[in-house]
Amino acid sequence: MTGKIIKGIAGFYYVYVEQHGLYECKAKGIFRNQKVKPLVGDNVSIDVLDEEGNKGNITAILPRNNALIRPAVANVDQAVVIFAAADPAPNLNLLDRFLVLMLKQRVETIICFNKRDIVTEDDILLLEAIYKKCGYHVIFTSTYTEEGLLKLKELLKDKTSVVAGPSGVGKSSIVNHIQPEADMETGEISDKIKRGKHTTRHSEIIYIQKGTYICDTPGFSSLYVNDMEKEELKNYFMEFRDYEDACRFQGCVHINEPGCAVKNAVKSGKISEIRYENYSVLYEELKNIKKY
Ligand code: GDP
Ligand code: ZN
């Protein structure tokens, strides 16, 4: 049988097999043949050891489409990053860090601003203007009025999506809304490994419906962009691409160079000032990292 590792705890892997349920598995022997460690999100072959107890043994890891390092999860199609439109006010520096980290790992991100119910149309337009301009898919949701939640479900369909965001933005509320009420098939073990509310400490995959999974990740309060050269950073600000060919110097990093078309685009309002400022902050950080 083949299934997907949805959670790993203390040497056990919980493998979900659609239509069958959840199997508590060990990964005996596969380390010797395949020098890779199983990751949450891996599609695996399992031998069922005892049907009643739903125990099994992972015999092989199927080829991965990708494997993210942060969060450590395999076969990710996209990320959904959730911030609150207000309460707490969105930390756009943190958001831009997340976007950079995902782009570096070649994962597309959908930006979801939750708590739509407590902001005005003008607030929305402001946020939309910043991120739509650089090519991101932006949606607004409210778990109170349920606005946008159907749209979100549509975007998740038939994909495995990493769902991430800082604490307090309503991520658990959203996850509770989009996951099925009760999964009869997985009852017993599900209960055993069920997380209480607010306690996502490790990344874990939640089955939504056939072919659709989300990977719920722990809330974060800071993110470090440090595993790249400072000159590489500009590649992850997609909106710079339309302008940088016109920079006077080849290899312009858009910081202090004269004749910089990116800086001119910021001045004329074509590139968001906030985005550019976040770029500069991250660039400075990368510049100051000690190289050993
Ligand atoms: P998490 O920490 O991101 O998982 O956030 P929670 O789901 O625990 O929600 C944090 C707080 O925000 C709770 O008090 C929720 O009731 C509230 N909340 C969640 N969604 C919404 C929303 O759409 N609108 C408003 N106004 N509050 C929300
Ligand atoms: Zn430039």
Side-chain angles (χ1 to χ4, degrees):
M1 279 202 295
T2 61
K4 190 186 257 312
I5 300 178
I6 60 162
K7 193 172 179 128
I9 323 169
F12 285 102
Y13 297 96
Y14 293 87
V15 176
Y16 184 70
V17 180
E18 290 189 2
Q19 259 106 52
H20 285 269
L22 200 57
Y23 293 84
E24 186 180 78
C25 297
K26 286 262 189 188
K28 278 188 212 132
I30 67 161
F31 298 110
R32 252 166 290 146
N33 310 329
Q34 286 184 278
K35 281 192 180 108
V36 275
K37 211 174 153 274
L39 280 179
V40 165
D42 264 327
N43 297 314
V44 293
S45 303
I46 62 167
D47 277 346
V48 176
L49 299 179
D50 98 77
E51 190 54 53
E52 265 177 47
N54 280 351
K55 289 195 187 347
N57 190 26
I58 296 176
T59 54
I61 300 171
L62 305 187
R64 288 173 180 160
N65 294 334
N66 60 15
L68 305 201
I69 296 167
R70 286 188 285 173
V73 44
N75 299 315
V76 172
D77 295 307
Q78 62 183 9
V80 177
V81 67
I82 304 173
F83 277 73
D87 189 24
N91 177 340
L92 300 187
N93 182 278
L94 194 56
L95 171 55
D96 285 342
R97 285 170 193 268
F98 184 88
L99 298 175
V100 165
L101 292 173
M102 284 300 134
L103 271 180
K104 171 152 175 92
Q105 300 179 94
R106 296 200 189 86
V107 174
E108 269 189 41
T109 302
I110 295 163
I111 303 171
C112 172
F113 289 109
N114 189 40
K115 309 201 184 184
R116 163 68 182 97
D117 53 291
I118 53 168
V119 292
T120 64
E121 189 69 26
D122 285 348
D123 295 327
I124 284 190
L125 291 176
L126 221 64
L127 289 169
E128 223 175 36
I130 300 172
Y131 288 98
K132 279 201 169 161
K133 217 191 291 188
C134 28
Y136 284 99
H137 197 141
V138 186
I139 62 167
F140 292 87
T141 57
S142 165
T143 62
Y144 287 11
T145 67
E146 303 199 356
E147 179 178 344
L149 293 177
L150 273 181
K151 175 93 204 211
L152 177 60
K153 276 190 206 169
E154 255 169 55
L155 292 169
L156 297 174
K157 203 164 178 295
D158 296 326
K159 296 193 163 129
T160 296
S161 311
V162 163
V163 176
S167 316
V169 300
K171 183 164 69 71
S172 318
S173 311
I174 287 179
V175 168
N176 287 337
H177 257 275
I178 57 185
Q179 70 181 317
E181 288 284 294
D183 192 345
M184 303 310 285
E185 293 166 329
T186 62
E188 213 177 290
I189 302 180
S190 257
D191 283 348
K192 212 157 68 185
I193 64 167
K194 197 152 86 189
R195 66 209 162 101
K197 242 187 145 214
H198 310 295
T199 56
T200 321
R201 271 188 230 106
H202 305 282
S203 300
E204 125 183 37
I205 289 200
I206 300 169
Y207 170 78
I208 305 295
Q209 62 180 68
K210 194 173 172 352
T212 305
Y213 295 86
I214 60 171
C215 175
D216 193 12
T217 62
F220 54 79
S221 53
S222 58
L223 292 171
Y224 295 100
V225 175
N226 49 18
D227 49 356
M228 68 179 77
E229 298 296 324
K230 59 187 186 311
E231 292 78 13
E232 186 186 339
L233 181 66
K234 63 180 191 314
N235 302 334
Y236 307 123
F237 282 74
M238 297 187 290
E239 68 272 40
F240 292 2
R241 287 182 201 160
D242 292 340
Y243 303 96
E244 55 196 357
D245 280 349
C247 290
R248 186 180 305 160
F249 295 103
Q250 220 196 338
C252 183
V253 293
H254 324 309
I255 297 289
N256 289 320
E257 297 93 334
C260 173
V262 167
K263 281 205 290 187
N264 286 339
V266 176
K267 265 185 219 125
S268 63
K270 292 194 193 101
I271 288 178
S272 149
E273 240 174 271
I274 298 169
R275 288 273 296 169
Y276 180 74
E277 165 147 356
N278 290 335
Y279 170 76
S280 314
V281 167
L282 291 182
Y283 185 90
E284 269 311 299
E285 278 181 23
L286 285 169
K287 200 169 119 184
N288 293 327
I289 287 175
K290 285 198 184 71
K291 295 265 176 356
Y292 295 98

